[in-house]
Amino acid sequence: MWCASTMANVLWPADPDPLAQARTLLAEGRPDDAVAILKPLAATARAGLLARLELARALSAARQGGNALELARETALLYPSAAAALGLGEAMLATGQVTTAIAEFQRALRIDPDLHDARAMLGRAWLEAGEPDKALQAFAAIPERSPELHTLVEDARAMQTLPRSNAGYIRHLFDQFSSTYDSRMLGELGYAAPRILREMAAMVLPQANALSVLDLGCGTGLSGQAFRDLAARLDGIDLSPVMVEQARARGIYDALRVDDIESALPQAAEYDLAIAADTLVYFGDLRGVFASVRKALKSGGAFLFTVEKLEGEGFALGPKRRWLHAASYLREQAEQSGFEVAGMMECSPRTEAGVPVQGLAVALLKR
């Protein structure tokens, strides 16, 4: 249960209006002082819905996300209103719980469709989730455009033009997907990418053993499991913290991290082999990924990955929001990035509605 504590170093005005004073302090960037004013108020019968919501916002701004969320949950139970649902959604979003925050903002709007603050926060949450189309839909329903809202609209439009899937979208997608990932991938979707890459490794690295291996977009660890026998060291990286926890539970990785493979790989040559099973489908332009992987590989190191195949040239975003790549584009980018193409073959890494997805399995060697 959240509890109050005494104020520190805050003077009450002669005619105190704690709520107004706290709002002023928050606007001035002094959330700790706002918390100190509102905590005693929230512990008394004087604390209504508005004081509780303002205290939750102050706690979030003061980096006390856990306390803010606990208070917001309690407030939503005491005051089943649109404003309380909005406050709970804000506390959830501040602690990174994007999916549940979206649900709370939607609940607030079902209670009060004219609560434009909830609509604005829903748009913000969709942006956090990497869903610019849904964010723009939410923003379009707000009649008045403030400068802040205009900036958010521009951010959403810029996100639509990115040559890769947004990191927030990937994280949101796989956090939702995590509980059924293995059963759906291995059953319904006939996921074969780890097996395909393991077979390719046997062809291009026939004598390999005791390798240092980096699993890019490791998910729940299905790819790591396929390569564990080759690895003296097996590390994984993935954007979804929920998926990483499931990979950790397998007990096969030496190290796991939540991060972006395009921007957060080691700058030193640490690995003999990098694998990316069904991961590069969330990137259109592969130059950044190839450059990062090359830096992380030792001389002569290998990079094995699958993509979905594009007939034609370059890369394109498919109807399922997965990027497709042409074989000629992969060869061109490999050459420009300092790799030699050791192997490329057509394959089907998974099915979609029972139909095999046309893909490519690729092996690159660092020159």
Side-chain angles (χ1 to χ4, degrees):
M1 176 68 69
W2 178 87
C3 62
S5 66
T6 58
M7 287 192 307
N9 302 320
V10 177
L11 296 177
W12 292 86
D15 182 20
D17 180 350
L19 189 56
Q21 189 182 14
R23 286 173 175 162
T24 299
L25 290 168
L26 276 174
E28 293 174 351
R30 298 166 59 189
D32 292 323
D33 290 342
V35 168
I37 286 176
L38 290 170
K39 268 189 175 183
L41 179 63
T44 71
R46 296 174 62 196
L49 172 62
L50 294 181
R52 283 174 162 270
L53 293 177
E54 207 62 43
L55 176 55
R57 292 185 182 107
L59 287 166
S60 290
R63 298 184 179 180
Q64 298 182 46
N67 290 338
L69 186 55
E70 185 176 355
L71 177 62
R73 289 188 191 280
E74 181 183 284
T75 302
L77 290 173
L78 290 172
Y79 300 90
S81 64
L86 169 59
L88 179 54
E90 290 176 344
M92 288 173 167
L93 190 61
T95 54
Q97 300 178 43
V98 180
T99 301
T100 49
I102 288 169
E104 285 302 312
F105 298 139
Q106 291 171 330
R107 184 167 73 89
L109 289 167
R110 286 195 297 272
I111 298 170
D112 182 0
D114 294 325
L115 185 59
H116 296 309
D117 285 349
R119 205 169 296 280
M121 289 305 301
L122 177 61
R124 285 177 178 271
W126 281 127
L127 276 179
E128 286 286 324
E131 296 276 9
D133 294 345
K134 293 179 179 178
L136 287 170
Q137 184 179 8
F139 296 145
I142 300 172
E144 295 185 8
R145 288 281 178 91
S146 66
E148 183 180 16
L149 183 59
H150 179 76
T151 299
L152 290 171
V153 168
E154 292 304 308
D155 289 345
R157 288 175 178 161
M159 191 181 294
Q160 289 177 314
T161 66
L162 290 174
R164 57 163 285 179
S165 298
N166 178 266
Y169 165 75
I170 300 170
R171 185 181 301 112
H172 176 64
L173 175 68
F174 285 98
D175 280 352
Q176 288 184 304
F177 196 18
S178 61
S179 63
T180 59
Y181 181 84
D182 285 8
S183 60
R184 285 189 63 192
M185 292 298 285
L186 296 175
E188 177 185 340
L189 300 178
Y191 183 49
R195 174 183 57 79
I196 291 168
L197 291 184
R198 184 64 181 80
E199 291 172 356
M200 177 167 268
M203 291 186 287
V204 299
L205 304 168
Q207 307 300 321
N209 62 79
L211 303 177
S212 53
V213 180
L214 178 59
D215 187 358
L216 305 172
C218 63
T220 63
L222 293 175
S223 297
Q225 192 168 264
F227 279 83
R228 179 69 258 191
D229 66 311
L230 286 183
R233 169 188 172 190
L234 177 61
D235 296 344
I237 182 171
D238 197 280
L239 269 171
S240 167
V242 183
M243 298 283 271
V244 165
E245 284 309 306
Q246 294 204 26
R248 184 169 285 112
R250 288 186 187 275
I252 61 172
Y253 289 92
D254 296 290
L256 285 161
R257 345 206 232 131
V258 177
D259 225 322
D260 191 308
I261 69 170
E262 187 175 35
S263 58
L265 296 191
Q267 296 296 298
E270 297 183 19
Y271 295 96
D272 301 301
L273 173 63
I275 58 174
D278 210 34
T279 297
L280 301 192
V281 295
Y282 297 104
F283 296 83
D285 185 345
L286 295 178
R287 287 175 295 179
V289 174
F290 279 15
S292 294
V293 172
R294 191 178 186 282
K295 288 179 182 177
L297 288 175
K298 299 174 183 177
S299 179
F303 180 25
L304 308 184
F305 59 89
T306 60
V307 295
E308 294 186 10
K309 183 181 177 182
L310 175 67
E311 298 292 349
E313 302 293 326
F315 58 87
L317 187 61
K320 299 293 184 180
R321 295 188 65 178
R322 295 160 65 88
W323 294 88
L324 289 70
H325 297 88
S328 59
Y329 172 80
L330 298 173
R331 293 184 185 278
E332 175 186 324
Q333 293 305 316
E335 173 67 24
Q336 292 180 4
S337 300
F339 285 106
E340 172 190 343
V341 179
M344 182 181 296
M345 65 181 188
E346 294 190 354
C347 66
S348 177
R350 61 196 286 272
T351 63
E352 189 71 52
V355 178
V357 171
Q358 297 304 305
L360 296 167
V362 184
L364 305 181
L365 296 178
K366 178 178 176 178
R367 292 201 297 262

